Amino acid sequence: MSAPERIPPRSVTTAELLTRGELTVRGQIRDASNAVLQCSVAHEGQEVLCVYKPVRGERPLWDFPDGTLAQREVAAYEVSEATGWGLVPPTVLRDGPYGEGMCQLWIEGVPGSELLALVDAEEPEPGWKAIGLAEVGDGKTALLVHADDERLRRLAVLDAVINNADRKGGHLLPGAEGRLYGIDHGVTFNAENKLRTLLWGWAGEPLTGEAVDVLKGLREALSGELATRLAPLITPAELDATRARVDALLDSGRHPEPSGEWPAIPWPPV
């Protein structure tokens, strides 16, 4: 009698693993303003590390509705995927040990990719973009700069679309194979202009042709399937404001500049 045919194990997508896998809490990230737990998630023989942020651990904010930060993180992932740039790690909304929350694939940052720096100069060197002056103690200041990096430039466009109010240096994670990820997107999609970021180096400059094409695709998607995916995650007014921001970027053809109505740089910046 011949041996039975061996059926290879079914491949599990990252989204399925994050959504359906068993969450096991491994530890807590103590310096976060909201509850952030490192977990493992296992399903059908596969296991990865992830971040789990339960809604019940969210700190109330005066300018965002209570209990909505997890949904906004998922919405940022959906928009990132629609761009094709893959700038946000896979992120889902699911139940967990402490109730509903955001679950995101854990990204281990790769050292050696310097994206931010403080320099004792009035102008940045080639390959760098100026952000502004920063106090460094004893009444001294230094020029804060970020790399003139196409990955950061893409992230600056994404942040303008999702109205990111908190793009800090610590939210930039260089990954394997030259990838760059942005994390911590809980304070996004506000209907009012809240853009606060360290990525002002291209402010007022023309958008790249690639960015224009991506924004045109987003405009179409926000009237179709992407809008359907975002509808349970943000309010109708916030969805309309997202469409308006995409239209404004395409109309101007340029990276946005600080409005002057809101602090342009988050604090602390890192």
Side-chain angles (χ1 to χ4, degrees), residues 139-183:
K140 298 180 180 180
T141 60
L143 185 64
L144 182 61
V145 297
H146 66 67
D148 188 2
D149 186 307
E150 67 174 6
R151 302 170 302 170
L152 288 181
R153 192 165 189 171
R154 290 170 177 169
L155 195 57
V157 173
L158 176 66
D159 283 345
V161 170
I162 67 177
N163 199 13
N164 192 349
D166 196 33
R167 174 61 72 206
K168 297 176 179 177
H171 300 166
L172 305 172
L173 293 181
E177 300 179 353
R179 295 288 301 273
L180 177 69
Y181 294 97
I183 61 170

Side-chain angles (χ1 to χ4, degrees), residues 8 24 28 32 39 42 54 62 72 74 81 93 96 101 122 136 146 160 176 191 197 209 240 256 261 267:
T24 301
Q28 181 175 4
C39 301
W62 69 269
R72 295 170 193 277
V74 179
E81 286 300 284
L93 195 66
E122 295 183 358
V136 293
H146 66 67
T197 176
D240 286 342
E261 300 174 356
W267 188 260

Side-chain angles (χ1 to χ4, degrees), residues 48-124:
V48 296
L49 290 178
C50 64
V51 173
Y52 165 53
K53 298 181 182 180
V55 171
R56 70 172 65 177
E58 294 178 4
R59 177 172 54 88
L61 299 172
W62 69 269
D63 52 348
F64 284 83
D66 292 350
T68 66
L69 304 190
Q71 291 94 322
R72 295 170 193 277
E73 296 240 29
V74 179
Y77 168 69
E78 293 288 357
V79 174
S80 169
E81 286 300 284
T83 66
W85 286 333
L87 294 168
V88 179
T91 312
V92 303
L93 195 66
R94 60 160 293 169
D95 197 27
Y98 299 102
E100 186 178 59
M102 179 277 278
C103 185
Q104 183 177 83
L105 182 67
W106 179 272
I107 300 297
E108 195 67 48
V110 176
S113 180
E114 192 166 357
L115 300 173
L116 296 167
L118 282 168
V119 296
D120 185 13
E122 295 183 358
E123 297 291 336

Side-chain angles (χ1 to χ4, degrees), residues 228-249:
T228 301
R229 294 199 298 270
L230 293 178
L233 303 170
I234 59 178
T235 69
E238 290 166 344
L239 183 53
D240 286 342
T242 303
R243 295 188 182 103
R245 288 192 294 272
V246 171
D247 288 341
L249 287 166

